[in-house]
Amino acid sequence: MLLYETLERQLKKEPNYVTDNGKLKKWVVINQAKNNDAELIGLLLNDTELKAKFFIDINGILVFNQNLFVQFLEQKNYLNDSYTQYINKVGLNIDGKYLKQRNEVALVWPFKDCVLEGGQSREEDKREEIFFNEILAQDEITQLLEPKVLTNAKRYTEKGEEQLDKFNRNEKGIITDNIILKGNNLLGLHSLKEEFAEQVKLIYIDPPYNTGNDSFQYNDSFNHSTWLTFIKNRLEIARTLLTNDGTIAISIDHNEIGYMISLLDEIFGRENKKNIITIKRSSVSGAKVINPGVVNVSEFLVLYSRTANLWKPNKVFRSKERDDRYNNFISNIEEDPSSWKYESVLDAFAKFKDIQKSKLKKELGADYDIELENFFIENKDRIIRFAGLDDKSISEGVKNVKYLSKDDDTKTYVFNRENHNDYYLYKGNAILFFKDRLIEVEGKWKFGEMISDIWNDVLPNDIHNEGGVTLRKGKKPEKLLNRLIDLCTNYGDIILDYHLGSGTTAAVAHKMNRQYIGLEQLNYGANDSVERLKNVINGDQSGISKQMNWQKGGEFVYLELKKHNQTFIEQIESAKDTKAVLKIWEEMKAKSFLNYNVDLQKQEQHIDEFKALTLAEQKQHLVELLDKNQLYVNLSSLNDKDFAFSAEEKKVTQDFYQLKK
Ligand SMILES: C[S@@+](CC[C@H](N)C(=O)[O-])C[C@H]1O[C@@H](n2cnc3c(N)ncnc32)[C@H](O)[C@@H]1O
């Protein structure tokens, strides 16, 4: 075999070096070689022939001959050159490496995603929060993504809080309880991956928008790439939870929508991009109108399917102002259509009220509008409008009848159609019925239309009151979730939100009789999703309750990922001074898992230098010492005596993962 054939065969063992149609990505390999990439060098060393060609032996140590290797690859004749750099260039790229090929994990503690401090009332009161961004490289990740031990499990019902005895399951063994899981969402998703693989019909997330005001701001130099890595890590695992006909819907604003779509295209495939919905999130008023230019009042809801051709959204309507063109009334609807007579709606209304048409408004006074509205609804079958028909959009048959009717004003013509509504034609016009434009909203018939990709009617005036909880800036309207859930799910389907915040998704899913799973890292105290769901169970009447005729009832299970090093991180975050930080360090030495390369003696020797650092630097340093693989307790440690798990923890964890005792 020629050397270049051996090389090509060996390099193709690494999937990242191969294009989708099986060609070697020479440009990527050259790039890796120039960076002395360990994976590439390892691959070359594994083949005797390549080892002999591209390495020099100096006193028993093999040195990679980078120049020779790159030159060899760059010689046009040696390797298939049919791919281009451009093929490889499509896709998101960080530091010269495609995001697709990067295997790091962005942990990110969500400190300023939303304004967290419960008591804050003014923006200026915001605390200078410390925020730890951490990206772990692939080789630093060992057990990070293993499922975790569960703790603090409770079942909430109308009767209150009780200990969780057992999860409910369906005939396929899938858990049918609603779940609220506290902990880092990446690790939470990995804990759900087996139990809920391909079970979730809709994933909705409202992640940090990377606006510069949220948590990713802490370190500006990698703000954008951290955000991308953070979103990517979670989307990849979330995708595996979706049913084949499932949907993922993501709220995002102008700051990152372009990148979000590129990322979704990479992970879900372009063919799965279904809608980009514009949401009106505020009005043109307040501080926004001080500066000249375009006032930003929109954000977006991006919808991707898991499998393009299996995606079957529902038909959803929205209410709107009555269309004044519906102003004709069929006086004798009981008779054959050929003999229908028409008059104006107002004439018919006047007759019905037995009041002269010109005196209607005066006599009915304040009741005029409501009485007329009721008349429209009660006569929805006989109120119509005449609409012109474009010859280009109708069949020959309809066209013939259209022209017959045009020259004959004595009767109404009917053109019957199989599997479609019949055409009624009068004087060359089609007759459209008011009833076909009505929808049932909150138990009442209203004038409506199918939803479009502009949702300017989902923001209520009193969003801050919804659910009885506050989440300044971050909270989504119940109506938005209601419409999305209507569009993408049916009764009993599972909905997942892994950026749960104040629990809007869960509250709406609960009122709509859908099963839900919510993940959230922070405990918002009185504004927590748990409090909101307790309100829902007890009959909360805010948000979409009236529309859904929500009474009360139902239940949910609360769980936490069992913390280990995460406990230290939380203590470090809230430490007020160096004394407190040093106390935590003492405890860390005894009880935490430190990174394998931390030399305790050296830390102690340099303790005075440590004390001289600013409080923020001290905190950052301590967090960096902790092994992130041990933030939460791995399932594999369930029988480890050192952790001294309670009987409850063991029982719930075993039951959730269906482990043999
Ligand atoms: C914009 S808020 C979501 C608000 C939510 N849609 C609502 O209506 O209340 C984003 C949420 O994601 C959470 N979050 C961010 N990063 C997280 C992580 N790594 N693990 C768990 N939750 C996280 C934040 O704590 C925050 O509550």
Side-chain angles (χ1 to χ4, degrees), residues 57-123:
D57 186 335
I58 305 175
N59 295 336
I61 294 174
L62 287 180
V63 178
F64 179 42
N65 194 340
Q66 193 192 78
N67 278 348
L68 179 70
F69 180 75
V70 172
Q71 271 171 22
F72 187 85
L73 277 177
E74 281 178 343
Q75 287 180 62
K76 254 199 155 45
N77 299 335
Y78 280 130
L79 280 173
N80 184 339
D81 217 12
S82 59
Y83 57 86
T84 68
Q85 193 168 318
Y86 302 102
I87 295 178
N88 299 314
K89 271 196 171 169
V90 177
L92 294 169
N93 180 308
I94 295 175
D95 296 340
K97 199 169 176 187
Y98 292 103
L99 199 62
K100 215 173 177 174
Q101 299 161 348
R102 293 169 69 105
N103 291 321
E104 303 97 327
V105 162
L107 279 167
V108 183
W109 288 277
F111 244 58
K112 288 200 286 187
D113 289 1
C114 304
V115 180
L116 303 180
E117 294 292 296
Q120 281 171 210
S121 51
R122 296 182 314 141
E123 194 70 359

Side-chain angles (χ1 to χ4, degrees), residues 66-192:
Q66 193 192 78
N67 278 348
L68 179 70
F69 180 75
V70 172
Q71 271 171 22
F72 187 85
L73 277 177
E74 281 178 343
Q75 287 180 62
K76 254 199 155 45
N77 299 335
Y78 280 130
L79 280 173
N80 184 339
D81 217 12
S82 59
Y83 57 86
T84 68
Q85 193 168 318
Y86 302 102
I87 295 178
N88 299 314
K89 271 196 171 169
V90 177
L92 294 169
N93 180 308
I94 295 175
D95 296 340
K97 199 169 176 187
Y98 292 103
L99 199 62
K100 215 173 177 174
Q101 299 161 348
R102 293 169 69 105
N103 291 321
E104 303 97 327
V105 162
L107 279 167
V108 183
W109 288 277
F111 244 58
K112 288 200 286 187
D113 289 1
C114 304
V115 180
L116 303 180
E117 294 292 296
Q120 281 171 210
S121 51
R122 296 182 314 141
E123 194 70 359
E124 310 85 80
D125 296 341
K126 233 194 282 182
R127 268 196 353 211
E128 269 306 302
E129 310 273 9
I130 275 277
F131 176 72
F132 303 107
N133 274 316
E134 190 145 356
I135 298 198
L136 303 185
Q138 182 64 21
D139 56 2
E140 291 170 295
I141 302 168
T142 54
Q143 303 120 312
L144 181 75
L145 304 177
E146 248 192 53
K148 306 295 172 219
V149 170
L150 302 170
T151 186
N152 217 354
K154 293 179 195 100
R155 184 181 289 281
Y156 287 91
T157 70
E158 260 181 87
K159 286 188 230 128
E161 173 188 323
E162 54 193 61
Q163 231 174 33
L164 178 71
D165 180 39
K166 205 171 181 311
F167 287 96
N168 293 308
R169 293 180 188 268
N170 63 17
E171 60 294 345
K172 287 191 276 172
I174 311 289
I175 293 175
T176 53
D177 290 306
N178 299 318
I179 293 176
I180 301 296
L181 179 57
K182 277 279 153 79
N184 181 294
N185 54 7
L186 179 67
L187 314 186
L189 285 167
H190 279 274
S191 297
L192 297 174

Side-chain angles (χ1 to χ4, degrees), residues 264-390:
L264 285 161
D265 276 356
E266 279 196 9
I267 296 170
F268 284 78
R270 284 173 77 98
E271 69 284 6
N272 284 308
K273 176 159 68 218
K274 293 300 180 187
N275 298 108
I276 299 172
I277 298 164
T278 302
I279 313 271
K280 184 178 170 193
R281 66 168 164 190
S282 58
S283 51
V284 184
S285 61
K288 293 192 287 298
V289 298
I290 293 171
N291 294 323
V294 176
V295 183
N296 173 247
V297 293
S298 65
E299 62 175 37
F300 308 95
L301 184 64
V302 184
L303 257 59
Y304 274 68
S305 58
R306 162 113 198 223
T307 322
N309 56 358
L310 298 180
W311 195 63
K312 294 203 172 47
N314 296 321
K315 225 172 181 182
V316 177
F317 295 87
R318 63 177 217 160
S319 57
K320 64 177 247 188
E321 293 280 287
R322 179 161 48 75
D323 182 342
D324 287 340
R325 289 174 301 177
Y326 287 85
N327 56 12
N328 277 286
F329 187 88
I330 307 172
S331 320
N332 56 340
I333 190 128
E334 322 65 48
E335 291 171 28
D336 189 79
S338 60
S339 61
W340 280 352
K341 299 266 175 293
Y342 306 98
E343 61 186 317
S344 85
V345 173
L346 277 190
D347 284 333
F349 182 49
K351 273 188 218 157
F352 172 71
K353 287 273 136 200
D354 201 13
I355 301 173
Q356 260 183 37
K357 190 165 122 184
S358 58
K359 296 196 175 139
L360 274 171
K361 278 199 175 159
K362 197 168 164 221
E363 293 212 8
L364 293 175
D367 291 339
Y368 175 81
D369 284 336
I370 189 100
E371 293 246 11
L372 183 62
E373 211 55 46
N374 289 343
F375 184 76
F376 264 87
I377 301 297
E378 276 152 29
N379 294 286
K380 56 186 181 299
D381 297 331
R382 57 204 303 177
I383 291 178
I384 56 148
R385 82 174 179 92
F386 297 110
L389 278 174
D390 179 1

Side-chain angles (χ1 to χ4, degrees), residues 453-464:
D453 55 5
I454 297 184
W455 294 6
N456 52 4
D457 59 338
V458 291
L459 184 73
N461 295 328
D462 62 340
I463 181 166
H464 50 282

